[in-house]
Amino acid sequence: MTTLGTAIRIAGAVKRYGGVTAVDHLDLDVPEGVCLGLLGPNGAGKSTTMRLLTAQSVADEGEISVLGLSLPKRSKQARALMGVVPQMDNLDEELTARQNLEVFAHIYRVPRHARRGAVARALALAQLEDRADTRADRLSGGMRRRLLIARGLVHSPRLVLLDEPTVGLDPQVRQELWALVARLRDEGVTTLMSTHYIEEAERLADECALMSRGRVVARGGPEELIKEYAGAEVHEHRGSAERLAEIEALARGEGFPTRRTGPTVSILKAEQLTEPVRARLDTPSVRRPANLEDVFVVLTGEAVE
Ligand code: ADP
């Protein structure tokens, strides 16, 4: 049996910008072969973490290594081995899809004899074979995103960093990209994906690290986290402000986590409510399955979106 190693190791990393601590004693290990979703609201420190891993930023404290290479000292070697997909689309507008890939095959030092094959593979992955000779500025938003991802994979990296891969895209394009990320995961490529879309993490990640204020506050498989912190079922109660306050106090008094969303109070782990408590909660309510956002709110008091 082969023992899988650790693709990313972050221990006690701190990154400050003036008075703001963007990453605050962060510990994060990503085993090889895992798709890890780094989930958190805006400002949680996800992008800063990504920048530390590409050595675009240097940590003030702590140890960071990527594929066994210590950063920032060996960042050049590390960057050559990993694929990086930026949040911002920085394709070369004047080049065709194929040429954009060729440039990166060159930058990533794919050997000359292997370049044509590498570019063809990337075009296939992005499902852009029939648009290979179209200039980037003539591609649709979804096609550009697929090309951007494929560009980061042209050298068949063992590790891929995806920074908010679907931010700002419409739902249909998002679905297409999810299929692309799922394919990567199925191929066993180690992936670290930052996102503030709960559904993205729930669907794609083998494991999620919930990030808040520069730290990881919980980590585990999405289902595991939901079960542990939010249970199976959530009951959303509506009513007057006074009634909602009563429901909240009652549920909390019985040890149930709750959250407020606009005009509702939600009771988590509601499948564990006993009959007498249910009777006292007698107010119109809607039942829904618990999700990762519930976990996030319970742990941090913040909403992700
Ligand atoms: P996320 O990607 O989760 O939205 P960021 O890593 O972008 O979070 O930001 C974390 C915190 O660090 C925020 O408070 C942000 O304003 C701050 N920050 C990030 N980059 C910089 C920078 N270059 N200069 C100053 N503050 C920054």
Side-chain angles (χ1 to χ4, degrees):
M1 202 175 92
T2 49
T3 318
L4 290 178
T6 303
I8 293 176
R9 172 157 286 161
I10 302 179
V14 176
K15 180 67 191 176
R16 299 184 193 93
Y17 293 107
V20 177
T21 305
V23 164
D24 189 5
H25 297 92
L26 175 71
D27 296 317
L28 184 69
D29 281 0
V30 184
E32 275 179 30
V34 162
C35 176
L36 186 100
L38 194 60
L39 185 64
N42 282 329
K46 305 181 297 299
S47 297
T48 304
T49 303
M50 291 297 200
R51 280 200 302 274
L52 292 174
L53 290 169
T54 55
Q56 288 164 280
S57 296
V58 176
D60 300 310
E61 292 174 33
E63 310 276 321
I64 302 179
S65 65
V66 169
L67 300 169
L69 300 161
S70 178
L71 301 185
K73 203 160 168 227
R74 304 192 65 195
S75 57
K76 213 166 162 189
Q77 292 99 312
R79 263 208 297 260
L81 294 177
M82 65 180 148
V84 179
V85 180
Q87 199 178 119
M88 296 297 266
D89 176 341
N90 59 359
L91 294 169
D92 194 323
E93 303 284 337
E94 292 178 3
L95 299 185
T96 65
R98 189 198 311 280
Q99 287 165 339
N100 266 284
L101 294 170
E102 283 168 352
V103 168
F104 268 67
H106 185 79
I107 291 174
Y108 278 128
R109 296 173 197 269
V110 175
R112 187 176 291 271
H113 66 89
R115 266 182 223 160
R116 186 195 286 257
V119 168
R121 238 186 350 266
L123 281 169
L125 188 74
Q127 295 180 299
L128 285 174
E129 289 122 312
D130 56 345
R131 306 307 288 269
D133 299 313
T134 304
R135 271 172 50 147
D137 59 2
R138 304 273 160 78
L139 296 173
S140 71
M143 291 175 185
R144 292 178 68 112
R145 269 292 158 160
R146 298 204 304 264
L147 180 58
L148 198 64
I149 295 180
R151 194 188 67 177
L153 300 172
V154 75
H155 55 312
S156 303
R158 288 158 57 199
L159 168 67
V160 180
L161 306 183
L162 292 169
D163 193 5
E164 298 267 1
T166 68
V167 73
L169 298 176
D170 65 53
Q172 196 207 323
V173 175
R174 187 169 296 154
Q175 303 265 355
E176 288 172 16
L177 292 185
W178 285 349
L180 181 52
V181 177
R183 223 172 305 147
L184 275 187
R185 189 193 52 198
D186 295 344
E187 285 175 15
V189 177
T190 311
T191 309
L192 177 64
M193 173 182 73
S194 74
T195 182
H196 67 276
Y197 296 116
I198 301 277
E199 195 188 349
E200 190 157 281
E202 267 183 349
R203 282 191 181 212
L204 297 177
D206 301 305
E207 281 187 61
C208 291
L210 305 191
M211 199 168 176
S212 170
R213 295 160 207 241
R215 289 182 189 218
V216 170
V217 292
R219 157 109 185 232
E223 287 174 15
E224 205 184 325
L225 288 174
I226 293 168
K227 194 167 162 215
E228 180 173 354
Y229 295 100
E233 205 171 276
V234 174
H235 292 182
E236 292 183 354
H237 287 260
R238 288 183 175 269
S240 66
E242 298 80 49
R243 184 62 188 137
L244 292 184
E246 276 170 26
I247 290 169
E248 198 170 46
L250 179 60
R252 291 202 169 194
E254 295 290 331
F256 287 88
T258 66
R259 59 176 290 206
R260 287 259 184 167
T261 337
T264 67
V265 166
S266 297
I267 303 177
L268 280 53
K269 300 190 171 176
E271 73 283 359
Q272 295 172 30
L273 288 168
T274 57
E275 266 319 311
V277 179
R278 262 178 222 267
R280 289 166 64 203
L281 288 169
D282 184 28
T283 313
S285 70
V286 174
R287 297 175 180 210
R288 64 164 175 84
N291 60 38
L292 260 187
E293 203 204 343
D294 298 317
V295 176
F296 209 90
V297 176
V298 166
L299 288 173
T300 68
E302 304 168 77
V304 178
E305 277 208 79

Coordinates of all heavy atoms in Angstrom, one line a residue, residues 17 20 22 41-48 51, ligand 1:
Y17 N -1.7 43.0 7.3 CA -1.6 44.1 6.5 C -1.9 45.3 7.4 O -3.0 45.6 7.7 CB -2.7 44.1 5.4 CG -2.5 43.0 4.4 CD1 -3.3 41.8 4.4 CD2 -1.4 43.0 3.4 CE1 -3.1 40.8 3.5 CE2 -1.2 42.0 2.5 CZ -2.1 40.9 2.5 OH -1.9 39.9 1.6
V20 N -4.5 45.1 10.1 CA -5.4 43.9 9.8 C -4.6 42.6 9.8 O -3.6 42.5 9.1 CB -6.1 44.1 8.5 CG1 -7.0 42.9 8.2 CG2 -6.9 45.4 8.4
A22 N -4.9 39.3 8.4 CA -5.7 38.6 7.4 C -5.7 37.1 7.6 O -6.7 36.4 7.4 CB -5.2 39.0 6.0
P41 N -16.8 33.6 4.5 CA -17.3 34.9 4.0 C -16.2 35.8 3.4 O -15.0 35.5 3.7 CB -18.0 35.5 5.1 CG -17.3 35.0 6.3 CD -16.8 33.6 6.0
N42 N -16.6 36.8 2.8 CA -15.6 37.8 2.3 C -14.8 38.3 3.5 O -15.4 38.6 4.6 CB -16.3 39.0 1.7 CG -16.7 38.6 0.2 OD1 -16.1 37.8 -0.4 ND2 -17.9 39.2 -0.2
G43 N -13.5 38.4 3.4 CA -12.7 38.9 4.4 C -12.2 37.9 5.4 O -11.4 38.2 6.3
A44 N -12.6 36.6 5.2 CA -12.2 35.5 6.1 C -10.7 35.2 6.0 O -10.1 34.6 6.9 CB -13.0 34.3 5.8
G45 N -10.1 35.5 4.9 CA -8.6 35.3 4.7 C -8.3 34.2 3.6 O -7.2 33.8 3.5
K46 N -9.3 33.9 2.8 CA -9.1 32.8 1.8 C -8.1 33.2 0.8 O -7.2 32.5 0.5 CB -10.4 32.4 1.2 CG -11.5 32.1 2.1 CD -12.8 31.7 1.4 CE -13.5 32.8 0.6 NZ -13.9 34.0 1.4
S47 N -8.3 34.4 0.2 CA -7.4 34.8 -0.9 C -6.0 35.0 -0.4 O -5.0 34.7 -1.1 CB -7.9 36.2 -1.5 OG -9.1 36.0 -2.1
T48 N -5.9 35.6 0.8 CA -4.6 35.7 1.4 C -3.9 34.4 1.6 O -2.7 34.2 1.3 CB -4.6 36.4 2.8 OG1 -5.3 37.7 2.6 CG2 -3.3 36.7 3.4
R51 N -2.6 33.4 -1.7 CA -1.4 34.1 -2.1 C -0.2 33.7 -1.4 O 0.9 33.7 -1.9 CB -1.7 35.6 -1.9 CG -2.5 36.3 -3.0 CD -2.3 37.8 -3.0 NE -2.6 38.4 -1.7 CZ -3.9 38.8 -1.4 NH1 -4.9 38.6 -2.2 NH2 -4.1 39.3 -0.2
Ligands
ADP1 P1 -11.3 36.5 1.5 O1 -10.5 36.0 0.3 O2 -11.7 35.4 2.4 O3 -12.4 37.4 1.1 P2 -9.0 38.2 2.1 O4 -7.8 37.2 2.2 O5 -9.1 38.8 0.7 O6 -10.3 37.4 2.4 O7 -8.9 39.3 3.2 C1 -8.7 39.1 4.5 C2 -8.6 40.4 5.3 O8 -7.3 41.0 4.9 C3 -9.6 41.4 4.9 O9 -9.9 42.2 6.1 C4 -9.0 42.3 3.9 O10 -9.5 43.6 3.9 C5 -7.5 42.3 4.3 N1 -6.6 42.4 3.2 C6 -6.4 41.4 2.2 N2 -5.5 41.8 1.3 C7 -5.0 43.1 1.7 C8 -4.1 44.0 1.3 N3 -3.4 43.8 0.2 N4 -4.0 45.2 1.9 C9 -4.7 45.4 3.0 N5 -5.6 44.6 3.6 C10 -5.8 43.4 2.9

